[in-house]
Amino acid sequence: MSDNRPIGVFDSGVGGLMFVKEIKRLLPNESIIYFGDTKNLPYGDKSNEDITKFSVSITQFLKNNNCKAILIACNSATASALKEIKKIAGKDIIVIDVISPVAEKISFELREKIGVIATKTTVKSGAYKKAIRKRNKHINVIELATPLLVPVIEEGFVNTPISKVVLETYLYNKKLEGIDSLILGCTHYTHLEREINQLFNKKVNIVNSPLIVVNHIIYMLSKNGKLASKDAKSEYLFYISYTTDSIVKTTKRLFGKDIQLIEKSLED
Ligand code: DGL
C-alpha cells in the first residue's frame, strides 16, 4: 500500500525548514507542503489562544490541500495547540509533533541531567519536563527560556558576533551546569546547532531532533501504509504568510534557488 499525497509541515518561520531538509534526505519520494507563518512570528511570545488560532487555520489549509500527514514543526504550537490541531485534522490525517518522539527516545537513553532551551511558551507549558519524566522519572530536566534566539535567527544573524553573545549570555547559566544532553526545544535553534556545539566544546550531546522526528514519521507512515511509492516524484510547495528576506534566502539556500515561495494570507 502506498500514498503519494503530500506531508504538510508548518512552523512560524524558518525553524521547520530543517525538518523538511531531513524529510527530503530520508524520504526522497515524499512531497511536502510547507507553511511558514512569518506574519505572526514569533509564536513563542504569544498567548496560547493566539497560537491555537494560527495553528488551527494552518491545519485547515493543509487539510484542504489533501495532506495525508501533518508535522507540527513548532514546539510552541505543539505545547499550546496539539489537541485542537488533532481535532481539526480528523482521524484520517496522521499528526506528528516535535516533542513526544524526542521525549520518548531520550527517556530510554542513559541520561541524568538534560537541558532544554525553548521559547517562553514552551518553557511555561513544561511540555518537555512532563513528557520525559512521565516516561523516566530518574532524569533531571532543566528548562530555560531563550526567546531572543528566534529574532536573531529570523534576522539572519546566525554565525555572527550577535548570535555568539546571545548564546553565551543564555547558555553560560548555572542552571545548565552538569547537563549531559541539550534539547533544542525550538525548531529555529537547529540553525544554531554548530555554534551551540562549539560553545559546549562538544562535551554536551546536542539531541538531534530532526532525525528523531523524521524516523518517527517513517514509522507512522509505514505502519499506516501511507509511505509514497518508490517511483513517486516528490514536489515541494512553500507557502508563507508574509515575505521576509530571511525565509526567502534560507529556503533557497536549503532547497535550491529555483524554489518558489507563495505568499498566502491565513485570513483568506
Ligand atoms: N520554531 C518555533 C518553535 O519551535 C517557534 C518560534 C517562534 O516563533 O517563537 O517553538
Side-chain angles (χ1 to χ4, degrees):
M1 237 174 26
S2 62
D3 186 338
N4 291 343
R5 291 177 303 149
I7 301 173
V9 181
F10 77 90
D11 178 37
S12 60
V14 299
L17 293 174
M18 296 299 265
F19 288 69
V20 174
K21 197 174 155 222
E22 195 65 353
I23 297 176
K24 187 169 185 240
R25 186 175 77 85
L26 295 174
L27 291 167
N29 302 105
E30 298 292 339
S31 291
I32 308 263
I33 299 183
Y34 188 78
F35 197 99
D37 191 9
T38 33
K39 188 175 169 198
N40 295 308
L41 182 92
Y43 274 15
D45 297 342
K46 303 249 171 15
S47 66
N48 284 351
E49 290 72 30
D50 279 345
I51 300 173
T52 303
K53 190 174 92 193
F54 306 142
S55 304
V56 161
S57 304
I58 299 169
T59 303
Q60 192 60 57
F61 171 76
L62 296 171
K63 186 174 177 178
N64 294 346
N65 280 276
N66 202 22
C67 288
K68 61 182 173 187
I70 293 177
L71 168 63
I72 313 166
C74 175
N75 292 266
S76 310
T78 301
S80 313
L82 182 59
K83 243 198 223 151
E84 289 301 315
I85 293 169
K86 283 190 168 162
K87 205 153 92 191
I88 301 297
K91 297 195 296 312
D92 296 334
I93 298 178
I94 299 172
V95 175
I96 288 145
D97 70 271
V98 283
I99 297 180
S100 45
V102 173
E104 181 78 27
K105 173 92 174 28
I106 203 98
S107 307
F108 287 109
E109 292 177 3
L110 198 58
R111 307 282 171 206
E112 280 177 13
K113 185 175 174 185
I114 297 176
V116 180
I117 51 169
T119 64
K120 284 187 200 163
T121 305
T122 304
V123 168
K124 208 166 132 211
S125 75
Y128 276 98
K129 193 179 228 159
K130 285 182 204 153
I132 294 169
R133 292 186 55 93
K134 187 172 85 182
R135 294 166 168 95
N136 182 344
K137 57 181 186 329
H138 300 290
I139 300 179
N140 183 10
V141 183
I142 307 295
E143 294 171 305
L144 194 71
T146 52
L148 266 184
L149 293 176
V150 169
V152 165
I153 295 155
E154 284 288 341
E155 294 300 325
F157 291 114
V158 172
N159 245 322
T160 67
I162 295 179
S163 54
K164 188 168 188 284
V165 81
V166 177
L167 279 172
E168 282 175 359
T169 310
Y170 280 139
L171 300 184
Y172 290 154
N173 181 316
K174 271 211 156 339
K175 280 169 93 182
L176 294 179
E177 262 172 31
I179 53 167
D180 47 53
S181 303
L182 182 70
I183 295 176
L184 308 184
C186 168
T187 55
H188 275 71
Y189 304 171
T190 50
H191 292 277
L192 294 169
E193 190 186 336
R194 210 175 323 145
E195 282 176 80
I196 295 172
N197 222 338
Q198 271 165 10
L199 202 126
F200 284 110
N201 277 327
K202 302 191 177 158
K203 290 202 175 90
V204 168
N205 160 52
I206 313 290
V207 177
N208 191 339
S209 298
L211 178 64
I212 296 169
V213 169
V214 177
N215 274 328
H216 186 65
I217 295 178
I218 295 173
Y219 168 71
M220 291 302 287
L221 290 180
S222 62
K223 189 172 107 169
N224 289 284
K226 283 182 189 276
L227 279 167
S229 55
K230 292 265 181 296
D231 56 356
K233 202 179 158 331
S234 61
E235 260 180 47
Y236 290 78
L237 278 176
F238 292 95
Y239 289 93
I240 46 177
S241 51
Y242 181 70
T243 303
T244 64
D245 261 9
S246 157
I247 192 123
V248 174
K249 265 198 210 143
T250 311
T251 313
K252 290 187 182 258
R253 176 170 56 77
L254 295 173
F255 302 101
K257 58 181 182 346
D258 294 334
I259 283 291
Q260 296 297 318
L261 288 96
I262 307 154
E263 201 172 280
K264 168 92 187 77
S265 162
L266 279 179
E267 278 94 55
D268 297 349

